[in-house]
């Protein structure tokens, strides 16, 4: 890329950037970083080490990221576009390079079989590759959302199972980490068979008590007031092993 071409490429990106009506957006560090990345990519594209790849080929291949389209079929279509003949290695390694540039575009192995089923069906019906890619991108987006929802649901169930297990340990008298009983503002834990209660205050702090039961109306023995629950946890870890006072 000649110097005047590089200047024009940078100027084009900058002009697009300053079109933003938001001064905050223009000054935002994250936006500036993205702008720098766009400029570097724009310039590097003109000095690419990939000599067989023009813009048209790259656009098609990049659109196929994460779609699990067979490399051989990609090569056959790309070879019909202007440019030197491509090998399987040319295509697979250029695809890998795109994946490395945009790490979030690595194909999801859980979606491979579903993508291939969609691809083979559309190919058998005579659908051209760009249309199949568009269909697959929609399919991948839906499936990734489904997987995300399922993962969140599994995580929610796991958290609930862990909460119930902690609650059962607390009620049974076993040692347990901080546990909040249903409809209670207090948190309880038991360490070395000693029960402690954390109660929230109006100034968004925590009061720590040594208690003998899980009754909310028990006054308990006040230990201290803390800004974070973790601070109270450190105190409990020490106090729970101190000798009990003799009355």
């Amino acid at each position: 890329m000649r110097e005047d071409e590089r200047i024009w490429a940078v100027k084009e990106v900058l002009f697009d950037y300053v079109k933003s009506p938001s001064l905050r957006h223009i000054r935002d560090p994250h936006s500036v970083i993205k702008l720098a990345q766009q400029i570097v990519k724009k310039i590097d594209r003109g000095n690419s080490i990939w000599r067989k790849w023009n813009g048209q080929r790259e656009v098609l291949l990049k659109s196929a990221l994460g779609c699990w389209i067979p490399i051989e079929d990609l090569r056959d279509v790309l070879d019909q576009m202007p440019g030197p003949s491509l090998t399987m290695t040319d295509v697979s390694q250029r695809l890998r390079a795109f994946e490395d540039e945009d790490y979030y575009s690595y194909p999801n192995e859980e979606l491979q079989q579903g993508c291939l089923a969609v691809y083979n069906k559309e190919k058998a019906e005579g659908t051209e590759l760009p249309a199949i890619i568009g269909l697959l991108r929609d399919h991948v987006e839906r499936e990734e959302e489904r997987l995300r929802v399922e993962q969140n649901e599994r995580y929610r169930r796991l958290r609930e199972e862990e909460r119930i297990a902690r609650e059962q340990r607390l009620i049974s008298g076993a040692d347990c980490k901080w546990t909040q009983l249903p409809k209670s503002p207090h948190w309880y834990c038991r360490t070395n068979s000693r029960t402690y209660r954390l109660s929230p205050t109006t100034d968004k702090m925590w009061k720590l008590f040594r208690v003998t039961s899980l009754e909310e109306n028990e006054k308990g023995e006040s230990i201290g007031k803390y800004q974070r629950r973790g601070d109270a946890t450190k105190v409990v870890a020490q106090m729970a092993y101190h000798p009990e006072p003799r009355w």
Side-chain angles (χ1 to χ4, degrees), residues 48-60:
S48 175
I49 61 173
W50 302 91
R51 300 302 183 186
K52 292 184 177 182
W53 296 86
N54 55 38
Q56 192 178 18
R57 279 179 165 178
E58 289 194 340
V59 167
L60 180 66

Side-chain angles (χ1 to χ4, degrees), residues 192-210:
N192 195 25
S193 299
R194 302 177 188 180
T195 306
Y196 298 88
R197 185 183 73 212
L198 265 181
S199 300
T201 64
T202 55
D203 55 354
K204 297 183 179 180
M205 295 187 72
W206 296 93
K207 288 195 73 174
L208 177 64
F209 298 88
R210 170 73 191 281

Side-chain angles (χ1 to χ4, degrees), residues 99-157:
E99 292 170 349
D100 290 342
E101 289 174 12
D102 300 318
Y103 61 91
Y104 54 83
S105 296
Y106 285 118
N108 187 334
E109 292 187 0
E110 293 184 61
L111 305 182
Q112 182 177 8
Q113 295 305 316
C115 285
L116 287 175
V118 172
Y119 176 78
N120 290 330
K121 174 179 177 296
E122 293 298 325
K123 180 183 177 182
E125 293 177 358
T127 307
E128 64 177 356
L129 186 62
I132 297 178
I133 291 175
L135 182 65
L136 283 173
R137 287 170 68 91
D138 291 341
H139 171 78
V140 168
E141 184 177 347
R142 288 193 303 271
E143 288 299 291
E144 286 182 339
E145 175 64 15
R146 176 183 62 80
L147 292 174
R148 185 190 66 79
V149 170
E150 290 177 356
Q151 183 181 38
N152 288 343
E153 179 60 22
R154 286 195 299 269
Y155 178 71
R156 188 197 64 77
R157 285 199 303 267

Side-chain angles (χ1 to χ4, degrees), residues 150-201:
E150 290 177 356
Q151 183 181 38
N152 288 343
E153 179 60 22
R154 286 195 299 269
Y155 178 71
R156 188 197 64 77
R157 285 199 303 267
L158 179 62
R159 289 289 301 272
E160 180 63 12
E161 290 169 0
E162 290 175 346
R163 185 196 65 77
I164 293 173
R166 288 197 307 271
E167 184 179 315
Q168 290 174 344
R169 288 180 62 82
L170 178 67
I171 294 173
S172 69
D175 283 6
C176 65
K177 296 180 180 179
W178 290 112
T179 303
Q180 188 176 32
L181 296 176
K183 299 181 180 180
S184 172
H186 308 292
W187 290 75
Y188 296 87
C189 82
R190 188 175 291 108
T191 303
N192 195 25
S193 299
R194 302 177 188 180
T195 306
Y196 298 88
R197 185 183 73 212
L198 265 181
S199 300
T201 64

